[in-house]
Amino acid sequence: MAFGRSSRSRRPVEPVTLKILVAGGFGVGKTTLVGAVSEIRPLRTEERLSEAGRPVDDTAGVESKTTTTVAMDFGRITLREDLVLYLFGTPGQDRFWFLWDELAQGALGAVVLADTRRLEDCFAAVDYFEQRAIPFTVAVNCFEGADRFPTETVQAALDLDPEVPVLMCDARDRSSVRDVLVAVVEHALAHADRLREPATT
């Protein structure tokens, strides 16, 4: 029998693991996005919204929201046999921003999740990643009843650099979220390649 090497079992591939942040405003769908795509039971640190938090938690547009992330969401997805993403969802309220620097350590890139009904809520996340030179992709979560705009319009409204990808997505749909994560990885790797290019004189 001439099976040769092909008959031998392949050695298991040691996957590369990459850290991706999922950020955005309060109630934009970060927890839903992580949960939709995670192949493990996602870790969630949600607490019920209380009367005490009502003065600081702007629920306009998300009146049905009853819980909020107070530390992080965590999930994992295998994109390929040799590539695994660890997803860290950030809390949306300003009072939990002290956690962002911890979560951002070692991150390859980020998703900034946006809602066209409250687009201004993602300005802070965009500024955060721009100031720290962390590559990011904007994903517009297409809520039912929300206005739909061309990606160019969203890019202009957020004053994004031309190379920042903007995608439409459904944070509840696994394949839609996976497309966003692939775009983040591709954008981050392209960004890293540009940084390695020798400066021209």
PDB file of all heavy atoms in Angstrom, residues 103-131:
ATOM      1  N   LEU A 103      -8.716  46.294  29.742  1.00  0.00           N
ATOM      2  CA  LEU A 103      -9.211  45.414  28.682  1.00  0.00           C
ATOM      3  C   LEU A 103      -8.444  45.600  27.379  1.00  0.00           C
ATOM      4  O   LEU A 103      -8.287  44.670  26.601  1.00  0.00           O
ATOM      5  CB  LEU A 103     -10.704  45.669  28.446  1.00  0.00           C
ATOM      6  CG  LEU A 103     -11.647  45.282  29.589  1.00  0.00           C
ATOM      7  CD1 LEU A 103     -13.070  45.702  29.270  1.00  0.00           C
ATOM      8  CD2 LEU A 103     -11.586  43.785  29.854  1.00  0.00           C
ATOM      9  N   ALA A 104      -7.948  46.815  27.127  1.00  0.00           N
ATOM     10  CA  ALA A 104      -7.289  47.114  25.853  1.00  0.00           C
ATOM     11  C   ALA A 104      -5.873  46.560  25.755  1.00  0.00           C
ATOM     12  O   ALA A 104      -5.326  46.461  24.653  1.00  0.00           O
ATOM     13  CB  ALA A 104      -7.260  48.622  25.625  1.00  0.00           C
ATOM     14  N   GLN A 105      -5.287  46.185  26.877  1.00  0.00           N
ATOM     15  CA  GLN A 105      -3.908  45.691  26.852  1.00  0.00           C
ATOM     16  C   GLN A 105      -3.806  44.432  26.000  1.00  0.00           C
ATOM     17  O   GLN A 105      -4.515  43.462  26.222  1.00  0.00           O
ATOM     18  CB  GLN A 105      -3.409  45.413  28.275  1.00  0.00           C
ATOM     19  CG  GLN A 105      -3.170  46.658  29.088  1.00  0.00           C
ATOM     20  CD  GLN A 105      -2.528  46.355  30.432  1.00  0.00           C
ATOM     21  OE1 GLN A 105      -1.931  45.305  30.623  1.00  0.00           O
ATOM     22  NE2 GLN A 105      -2.653  47.286  31.369  1.00  0.00           N
ATOM     23  N   GLY A 106      -2.921  44.463  25.013  1.00  0.00           N
ATOM     24  CA  GLY A 106      -2.688  43.302  24.166  1.00  0.00           C
ATOM     25  C   GLY A 106      -3.706  43.084  23.072  1.00  0.00           C
ATOM     26  O   GLY A 106      -3.665  42.059  22.383  1.00  0.00           O
ATOM     27  N   ALA A 107      -4.617  44.023  22.878  1.00  0.00           N
ATOM     28  CA  ALA A 107      -5.653  43.845  21.850  1.00  0.00           C
ATOM     29  C   ALA A 107      -5.082  44.095  20.460  1.00  0.00           C
ATOM     30  O   ALA A 107      -4.367  45.074  20.230  1.00  0.00           O
ATOM     31  CB  ALA A 107      -6.818  44.789  22.100  1.00  0.00           C
ATOM     32  N   LEU A 108      -5.395  43.205  19.517  1.00  0.00           N
ATOM     33  CA  LEU A 108      -4.993  43.400  18.129  1.00  0.00           C
ATOM     34  C   LEU A 108      -5.812  44.501  17.481  1.00  0.00           C
ATOM     35  O   LEU A 108      -5.310  45.303  16.700  1.00  0.00           O
ATOM     36  CB  LEU A 108      -5.174  42.097  17.339  1.00  0.00           C
ATOM     37  CG  LEU A 108      -4.920  42.198  15.828  1.00  0.00           C
ATOM     38  CD1 LEU A 108      -3.430  42.199  15.555  1.00  0.00           C
ATOM     39  CD2 LEU A 108      -5.613  41.075  15.069  1.00  0.00           C
ATOM     40  N   GLY A 109      -7.114  44.540  17.794  1.00  0.00           N
ATOM     41  CA  GLY A 109      -8.009  45.511  17.180  1.00  0.00           C
ATOM     42  C   GLY A 109      -9.330  45.549  17.914  1.00  0.00           C
ATOM     43  O   GLY A 109      -9.496  44.915  18.963  1.00  0.00           O
ATOM     44  N   ALA A 110     -10.275  46.294  17.349  1.00  0.00           N
ATOM     45  CA  ALA A 110     -11.550  46.491  18.037  1.00  0.00           C
ATOM     46  C   ALA A 110     -12.690  46.662  17.040  1.00  0.00           C
ATOM     47  O   ALA A 110     -12.482  47.078  15.897  1.00  0.00           O
ATOM     48  CB  ALA A 110     -11.479  47.717  18.949  1.00  0.00           C
ATOM     49  N   VAL A 111     -13.881  46.319  17.518  1.00  0.00           N
ATOM     50  CA  VAL A 111     -15.132  46.629  16.836  1.00  0.00           C
ATOM     51  C   VAL A 111     -15.787  47.774  17.592  1.00  0.00           C
ATOM     52  O   VAL A 111     -15.957  47.686  18.808  1.00  0.00           O
ATOM     53  CB  VAL A 111     -16.101  45.426  16.832  1.00  0.00           C
ATOM     54  CG1 VAL A 111     -17.416  45.805  16.150  1.00  0.00           C
ATOM     55  CG2 VAL A 111     -15.479  44.214  16.187  1.00  0.00           C
ATOM     56  N   VAL A 112     -16.130  48.849  16.888  1.00  0.00           N
ATOM     57  CA  VAL A 112     -16.952  49.897  17.486  1.00  0.00           C
ATOM     58  C   VAL A 112     -18.368  49.697  16.947  1.00  0.00           C
ATOM     59  O   VAL A 112     -18.627  49.898  15.764  1.00  0.00           O
ATOM     60  CB  VAL A 112     -16.432  51.306  17.146  1.00  0.00           C
ATOM     61  CG1 VAL A 112     -17.408  52.362  17.677  1.00  0.00           C
ATOM     62  CG2 VAL A 112     -15.045  51.520  17.747  1.00  0.00           C
ATOM     63  N   LEU A 113     -19.261  49.258  17.822  1.00  0.00           N
ATOM     64  CA  LEU A 113     -20.639  48.993  17.425  1.00  0.00           C
ATOM     65  C   LEU A 113     -21.433  50.289  17.506  1.00  0.00           C
ATOM     66  O   LEU A 113     -21.347  51.019  18.499  1.00  0.00           O
ATOM     67  CB  LEU A 113     -21.242  47.924  18.340  1.00  0.00           C
ATOM     68  CG  LEU A 113     -22.454  47.145  17.822  1.00  0.00           C
ATOM     69  CD1 LEU A 113     -22.145  46.460  16.499  1.00  0.00           C
ATOM     70  CD2 LEU A 113     -22.892  46.117  18.859  1.00  0.00           C
ATOM     71  N   ALA A 114     -22.176  50.584  16.441  1.00  0.00           N
ATOM     72  CA  ALA A 114     -22.891  51.860  16.353  1.00  0.00           C
ATOM     73  C   ALA A 114     -24.375  51.622  16.102  1.00  0.00           C
ATOM     74  O   ALA A 114     -24.775  50.606  15.533  1.00  0.00           O
ATOM     75  CB  ALA A 114     -22.306  52.716  15.225  1.00  0.00           C
ATOM     76  N   ASP A 115     -25.164  52.579  16.534  1.00  0.00           N
ATOM     77  CA  ASP A 115     -26.615  52.593  16.331  1.00  0.00           C
ATOM     78  C   ASP A 115     -26.941  53.926  15.664  1.00  0.00           C
ATOM     79  O   ASP A 115     -26.654  54.984  16.231  1.00  0.00           O
ATOM     80  CB  ASP A 115     -27.317  52.459  17.691  1.00  0.00           C
ATOM     81  CG  ASP A 115     -28.842  52.509  17.598  1.00  0.00           C
ATOM     82  OD1 ASP A 115     -29.382  52.769  16.500  1.00  0.00           O
ATOM     83  OD2 ASP A 115     -29.492  52.305  18.637  1.00  0.00           O
ATOM     84  N   THR A 116     -27.524  53.905  14.472  1.00  0.00           N
ATOM     85  CA  THR A 116     -27.766  55.153  13.742  1.00  0.00           C
ATOM     86  C   THR A 116     -28.754  56.064  14.459  1.00  0.00           C
ATOM     87  O   THR A 116     -28.802  57.262  14.189  1.00  0.00           O
ATOM     88  CB  THR A 116     -28.287  54.874  12.321  1.00  0.00           C
ATOM     89  OG1 THR A 116     -29.485  54.081  12.388  1.00  0.00           O
ATOM     90  CG2 THR A 116     -27.240  54.150  11.493  1.00  0.00           C
ATOM     91  N   ARG A 117     -29.543  55.527  15.391  1.00  0.00           N
ATOM     92  CA  ARG A 117     -30.470  56.360  16.153  1.00  0.00           C
ATOM     93  C   ARG A 117     -29.735  57.188  17.200  1.00  0.00           C
ATOM     94  O   ARG A 117     -30.252  58.205  17.667  1.00  0.00           O
ATOM     95  CB  ARG A 117     -31.522  55.478  16.839  1.00  0.00           C
ATOM     96  CG  ARG A 117     -32.380  54.668  15.897  1.00  0.00           C
ATOM     97  CD  ARG A 117     -33.214  53.658  16.649  1.00  0.00           C
ATOM     98  NE  ARG A 117     -32.377  52.731  17.412  1.00  0.00           N
ATOM     99  CZ  ARG A 117     -32.868  51.745  18.166  1.00  0.00           C
ATOM    100  NH1 ARG A 117     -34.174  51.580  18.263  1.00  0.00           N
ATOM    101  NH2 ARG A 117     -32.047  50.943  18.825  1.00  0.00           N
ATOM    102  N   ARG A 118     -28.532  56.733  17.579  1.00  0.00           N
ATOM    103  CA  ARG A 118     -27.742  57.432  18.596  1.00  0.00           C
ATOM    104  C   ARG A 118     -26.259  57.348  18.207  1.00  0.00           C
ATOM    105  O   ARG A 118     -25.427  56.875  18.964  1.00  0.00           O
ATOM    106  CB  ARG A 118     -27.964  56.787  19.972  1.00  0.00           C
ATOM    107  CG  ARG A 118     -29.422  56.804  20.432  1.00  0.00           C
ATOM    108  CD  ARG A 118     -29.583  56.146  21.791  1.00  0.00           C
ATOM    109  NE  ARG A 118     -29.154  54.757  21.748  1.00  0.00           N
ATOM    110  CZ  ARG A 118     -28.530  54.144  22.755  1.00  0.00           C
ATOM    111  NH1 ARG A 118     -28.224  54.794  23.850  1.00  0.00           N
ATOM    112  NH2 ARG A 118     -28.197  52.879  22.646  1.00  0.00           N
ATOM    113  N   LEU A 119     -25.974  57.826  17.010  1.00  0.00           N
ATOM    114  CA  LEU A 119     -24.623  57.674  16.467  1.00  0.00           C
ATOM    115  C   LEU A 119     -23.574  58.365  17.330  1.00  0.00           C
ATOM    116  O   LEU A 119     -22.439  57.901  17.437  1.00  0.00           O
ATOM    117  CB  LEU A 119     -24.579  58.232  15.038  1.00  0.00           C
ATOM    118  CG  LEU A 119     -23.458  57.738  14.121  1.00  0.00           C
ATOM    119  CD1 LEU A 119     -23.479  56.219  13.994  1.00  0.00           C
ATOM    120  CD2 LEU A 119     -23.576  58.381  12.746  1.00  0.00           C
ATOM    121  N   GLU A 120     -23.984  59.445  17.977  1.00  0.00           N
ATOM    122  CA  GLU A 120     -23.025  60.193  18.806  1.00  0.00           C
ATOM    123  C   GLU A 120     -22.511  59.380  19.983  1.00  0.00           C
ATOM    124  O   GLU A 120     -21.449  59.677  20.548  1.00  0.00           O
ATOM    125  CB  GLU A 120     -23.659  61.494  19.316  1.00  0.00           C
ATOM    126  CG  GLU A 120     -24.798  61.329  20.311  1.00  0.00           C
ATOM    127  CD  GLU A 120     -26.151  61.011  19.671  1.00  0.00           C
ATOM    128  OE1 GLU A 120     -26.203  60.890  18.418  1.00  0.00           O
ATOM    129  OE2 GLU A 120     -27.138  60.884  20.409  1.00  0.00           O
ATOM    130  N   ASP A 121     -23.221  58.310  20.351  1.00  0.00           N
ATOM    131  CA  ASP A 121     -22.806  57.505  21.502  1.00  0.00           C
ATOM    132  C   ASP A 121     -21.511  56.734  21.246  1.00  0.00           C
ATOM    133  O   ASP A 121     -20.896  56.255  22.207  1.00  0.00           O
ATOM    134  CB  ASP A 121     -23.906  56.513  21.893  1.00  0.00           C
ATOM    135  CG  ASP A 121     -25.080  57.197  22.582  1.00  0.00           C
ATOM    136  OD1 ASP A 121     -25.038  58.433  22.733  1.00  0.00           O
ATOM    137  OD2 ASP A 121     -26.045  56.492  22.950  1.00  0.00           O
ATOM    138  N   CYS A 122     -21.120  56.583  19.988  1.00  0.00           N
ATOM    139  CA  CYS A 122     -19.891  55.831  19.723  1.00  0.00           C
ATOM    140  C   CYS A 122     -18.688  56.744  19.483  1.00  0.00           C
ATOM    141  O   CYS A 122     -17.577  56.265  19.257  1.00  0.00           O
ATOM    142  CB  CYS A 122     -20.071  54.857  18.567  1.00  0.00           C
ATOM    143  SG  CYS A 122     -20.264  55.606  16.952  1.00  0.00           S
ATOM    144  N   PHE A 123     -18.887  58.079  19.555  1.00  0.00           N
ATOM    145  CA  PHE A 123     -17.759  58.996  19.372  1.00  0.00           C
ATOM    146  C   PHE A 123     -16.639  58.721  20.382  1.00  0.00           C
ATOM    147  O   PHE A 123     -15.458  58.753  20.040  1.00  0.00           O
ATOM    148  CB  PHE A 123     -18.208  60.454  19.527  1.00  0.00           C
ATOM    149  CG  PHE A 123     -18.972  60.987  18.348  1.00  0.00           C
ATOM    150  CD1 PHE A 123     -19.926  61.986  18.527  1.00  0.00           C
ATOM    151  CD2 PHE A 123     -18.749  60.513  17.078  1.00  0.00           C
ATOM    152  CE1 PHE A 123     -20.635  62.489  17.453  1.00  0.00           C
ATOM    153  CE2 PHE A 123     -19.459  61.001  15.991  1.00  0.00           C
ATOM    154  CZ  PHE A 123     -20.400  61.997  16.172  1.00  0.00           C
ATOM    155  N   ALA A 124     -17.014  58.478  21.629  1.00  0.00           N
ATOM    156  CA  ALA A 124     -16.009  58.280  22.672  1.00  0.00           C
ATOM    157  C   ALA A 124     -15.147  57.054  22.386  1.00  0.00           C
ATOM    158  O   ALA A 124     -13.925  57.078  22.576  1.00  0.00           O
ATOM    159  CB  ALA A 124     -16.679  58.148  24.033  1.00  0.00           C
ATOM    160  N   ALA A 125     -15.770  55.974  21.909  1.00  0.00           N
ATOM    161  CA  ALA A 125     -15.012  54.759  21.590  1.00  0.00           C
ATOM    162  C   ALA A 125     -14.086  55.001  20.399  1.00  0.00           C
ATOM    163  O   ALA A 125     -12.931  54.560  20.392  1.00  0.00           O
ATOM    164  CB  ALA A 125     -15.973  53.604  21.297  1.00  0.00           C
ATOM    165  N   VAL A 126     -14.582  55.694  19.377  1.00  0.00           N
ATOM    166  CA  VAL A 126     -13.751  56.029  18.220  1.00  0.00           C
ATOM    167  C   VAL A 126     -12.538  56.837  18.666  1.00  0.00           C
ATOM    168  O   VAL A 126     -11.390  56.545  18.285  1.00  0.00           O
ATOM    169  CB  VAL A 126     -14.568  56.802  17.162  1.00  0.00           C
ATOM    170  CG1 VAL A 126     -13.654  57.393  16.094  1.00  0.00           C
ATOM    171  CG2 VAL A 126     -15.606  55.887  16.515  1.00  0.00           C
ATOM    172  N   ASP A 127     -12.767  57.866  19.485  1.00  0.00           N
ATOM    173  CA  ASP A 127     -11.665  58.691  19.982  1.00  0.00           C
ATOM    174  C   ASP A 127     -10.671  57.863  20.789  1.00  0.00           C
ATOM    175  O   ASP A 127      -9.453  58.043  20.668  1.00  0.00           O
ATOM    176  CB  ASP A 127     -12.200  59.829  20.860  1.00  0.00           C
ATOM    177  CG  ASP A 127     -12.943  60.891  20.057  1.00  0.00           C
ATOM    178  OD1 ASP A 127     -12.781  60.916  18.815  1.00  0.00           O
ATOM    179  OD2 ASP A 127     -13.683  61.683  20.669  1.00  0.00           O
ATOM    180  N   TYR A 128     -11.188  56.957  21.611  1.00  0.00           N
ATOM    181  CA  TYR A 128     -10.320  56.134  22.468  1.00  0.00           C
ATOM    182  C   TYR A 128      -9.340  55.325  21.620  1.00  0.00           C
ATOM    183  O   TYR A 128      -8.126  55.314  21.884  1.00  0.00           O
ATOM    184  CB  TYR A 128     -11.173  55.210  23.320  1.00  0.00           C
ATOM    185  CG  TYR A 128     -10.381  54.341  24.277  1.00  0.00           C
ATOM    186  CD1 TYR A 128     -10.090  54.785  25.563  1.00  0.00           C
ATOM    187  CD2 TYR A 128      -9.923  53.089  23.882  1.00  0.00           C
ATOM    188  CE1 TYR A 128      -9.353  53.993  26.440  1.00  0.00           C
ATOM    189  CE2 TYR A 128      -9.180  52.295  24.746  1.00  0.00           C
ATOM    190  CZ  TYR A 128      -8.903  52.752  26.022  1.00  0.00           C
ATOM    191  OH  TYR A 128      -8.160  51.968  26.874  1.00  0.00           O
ATOM    192  N   PHE A 129      -9.853  54.648  20.596  1.00  0.00           N
ATOM    193  CA  PHE A 129      -8.984  53.786  19.792  1.00  0.00           C
ATOM    194  C   PHE A 129      -8.070  54.601  18.877  1.00  0.00           C
ATOM    195  O   PHE A 129      -6.925  54.203  18.628  1.00  0.00           O
ATOM    196  CB  PHE A 129      -9.824  52.789  19.004  1.00  0.00           C
ATOM    197  CG  PHE A 129     -10.585  51.833  19.879  1.00  0.00           C
ATOM    198  CD1 PHE A 129     -11.959  51.698  19.773  1.00  0.00           C
ATOM    199  CD2 PHE A 129      -9.922  51.094  20.847  1.00  0.00           C
ATOM    200  CE1 PHE A 129     -12.654  50.832  20.592  1.00  0.00           C
ATOM    201  CE2 PHE A 129     -10.609  50.218  21.683  1.00  0.00           C
ATOM    202  CZ  PHE A 129     -11.971  50.095  21.556  1.00  0.00           C
ATOM    203  N   GLU A 130      -8.551  55.729  18.380  1.00  0.00           N
ATOM    204  CA  GLU A 130      -7.694  56.583  17.562  1.00  0.00           C
ATOM    205  C   GLU A 130      -6.514  57.106  18.372  1.00  0.00           C
ATOM    206  O   GLU A 130      -5.371  57.090  17.897  1.00  0.00           O
ATOM    207  CB  GLU A 130      -8.499  57.754  16.991  1.00  0.00           C
ATOM    208  CG  GLU A 130      -9.420  57.365  15.850  1.00  0.00           C
ATOM    209  CD  GLU A 130     -10.182  58.544  15.275  1.00  0.00           C
ATOM    210  OE1 GLU A 130     -10.275  59.597  15.957  1.00  0.00           O
ATOM    211  OE2 GLU A 130     -10.704  58.417  14.153  1.00  0.00           O
ATOM    212  N   GLN A 131      -6.776  57.558  19.588  1.00  0.00           N
ATOM    213  CA  GLN A 131      -5.717  58.125  20.421  1.00  0.00           C
ATOM    214  C   GLN A 131      -4.678  57.085  20.807  1.00  0.00           C
ATOM    215  O   GLN A 131      -3.505  57.418  21.014  1.00  0.00           O
ATOM    216  CB  GLN A 131      -6.316  58.755  21.680  1.00  0.00           C
ATOM    217  CG  GLN A 131      -7.118  60.018  21.411  1.00  0.00           C
ATOM    218  CD  GLN A 131      -7.913  60.475  22.615  1.00  0.00           C
ATOM    219  OE1 GLN A 131      -7.735  59.955  23.725  1.00  0.00           O
ATOM    220  NE2 GLN A 131      -8.796  61.439  22.412  1.00  0.00           N
TER     221      GLN A 131
END
